[in-house]
Amino acid sequence: MTVPSLTIDIVSDIMCPWCYIGKKRLEAALDEVGSEMNVEVRWRPYQLDPTLPKEGKDRKQYMEDKFGGPEGADKAYANVRAAGVDENIPFAFEKIPVSANTLDAHRLIRWAGSLGPLAQDTAVDALFKAYFEDGQNIGDDAVLIEAGRRAGLETEVVERLLAGDADRDTVSAEIDQARQMGVTGVPCFIIDMKYAVVGAQPAEALADAMRKVAMEKQRQSTGDAAPDRD
């Protein structure tokens, strides 16, 4: 029997901690389905706050404004930290200096994708870790360049591309397309461009969704290939 092939497009924003959690849960789901199917993962851009300047805003103030004061921010952090413990993510929110605009980070992820899914995943992982674990500013070119280097991109090329407007309109158009498709929260996992799983769902739920789509794909393939009977 032919092993089915699936694509998973992850609509995500680097500044979203639940997207980092969702990435870890997807990795566990992919381990669970193992050899049952071939899965290609592609990262798609989204911006939770496109109004942020490139240099960013003070993180503490930004979160308090967003969640209605220190108590609201602490509560939001507590929920994320608890989920992070389960996924072995040592969130260090206190280290993050600013909430930065993520458009350049998405441009970098797109460029890494030109080297293949593994390189793109490496870039995404490097950016999540830099931001949420090391407290680095993901709007800073030096941080972006280092993530690109880890993914296999040439430093000089990334420096030149970041200095210009390469793919800025393309990434913005992708973000607009996601919103037009009805994506209002991230992460959003789009399986084979047919089935969407919204939120950082448990690994079991993601694995089940992949299996359902794979089974439907196999059923349709078998049906199309079956000879007509009178």
Side-chain angles (χ1 to χ4, degrees):
M1 182 181 293
T2 304
V3 176
S5 296
L6 301 179
T7 59
I8 299 182
D9 291 274
I10 309 173
V11 185
S12 164
D13 193 4
I14 293 297
M15 74 178 295
C16 168
W18 289 106
C19 290
Y20 194 9
I21 293 167
K23 182 180 189 298
K24 296 293 187 181
R25 291 177 177 174
L26 176 64
E27 289 168 356
L30 291 172
D31 286 342
E32 183 179 329
V33 300
S35 59
E36 296 175 36
M37 62 194 78
N38 296 317
V39 183
E40 179 182 343
V41 176
R42 304 180 298 207
W43 290 87
R44 303 298 187 188
Y46 195 84
Q47 283 194 285
L48 291 171
D49 190 350
T51 68
L52 284 166
K54 179 173 173 59
E55 66 274 13
K57 292 183 179 179
D58 178 81
R59 173 76 178 182
K60 184 175 182 293
Q61 187 63 53
Y62 180 78
M63 293 299 290
E64 290 180 4
D65 290 345
K66 183 176 181 179
F67 291 103
E71 289 185 6
D74 288 343
K75 184 177 179 180
Y77 278 143
N79 293 335
V80 175
R81 285 185 198 277
V85 168
D86 292 336
E87 306 305 330
N88 295 315
I89 302 174
F91 282 110
F93 296 112
E94 67 283 355
K95 292 183 181 179
I96 301 174
V98 297
S99 291
N101 189 292
T102 55
L103 186 63
D104 283 346
H106 288 305
R107 289 203 292 160
L108 178 75
I109 292 167
R110 180 179 179 82
W111 302 331
S114 67
L115 300 180
L118 181 58
Q120 188 175 53
D121 191 78
T122 299
V124 171
D125 206 57
L127 289 169
F128 274 138
K129 185 178 185 301
Y131 189 52
F132 288 116
E133 297 183 33
D134 300 333
Q136 296 180 7
N137 180 357
I138 50 171
D140 185 276
D141 284 358
V143 176
L144 297 172
I145 290 166
E146 174 58 19
R149 186 193 67 76
R150 289 177 179 272
L153 293 168
E154 294 183 14
T155 297
E156 295 77 10
V157 173
V158 177
E159 287 177 343
R160 186 177 71 250
L161 291 172
L162 285 172
D165 292 324
D167 291 316
R168 188 179 297 275
D169 290 343
T170 302
V171 170
S172 296
E174 272 200 63
I175 294 169
D176 288 341
Q177 183 183 32
R179 291 198 176 97
Q180 290 167 11
M181 290 171 61
V183 176
T184 57
V186 289
C188 179
F189 304 88
I190 303 174
I191 305 174
D192 249 29
M193 298 304 292
K194 296 175 182 177
Y195 187 92
V197 178
V198 181
Q201 300 295 329
E204 296 80 5
L206 291 168
D208 285 347
M210 284 187 273
R211 288 188 175 111
K212 287 178 182 177
V213 175
M215 287 176 63
E216 176 65 15
K217 198 168 186 175
Q218 282 191 316
R219 186 191 66 78
Q220 291 177 349
S221 176
T222 304
D224 291 342
D228 293 333
R229 291 184 174 88
D230 293 328

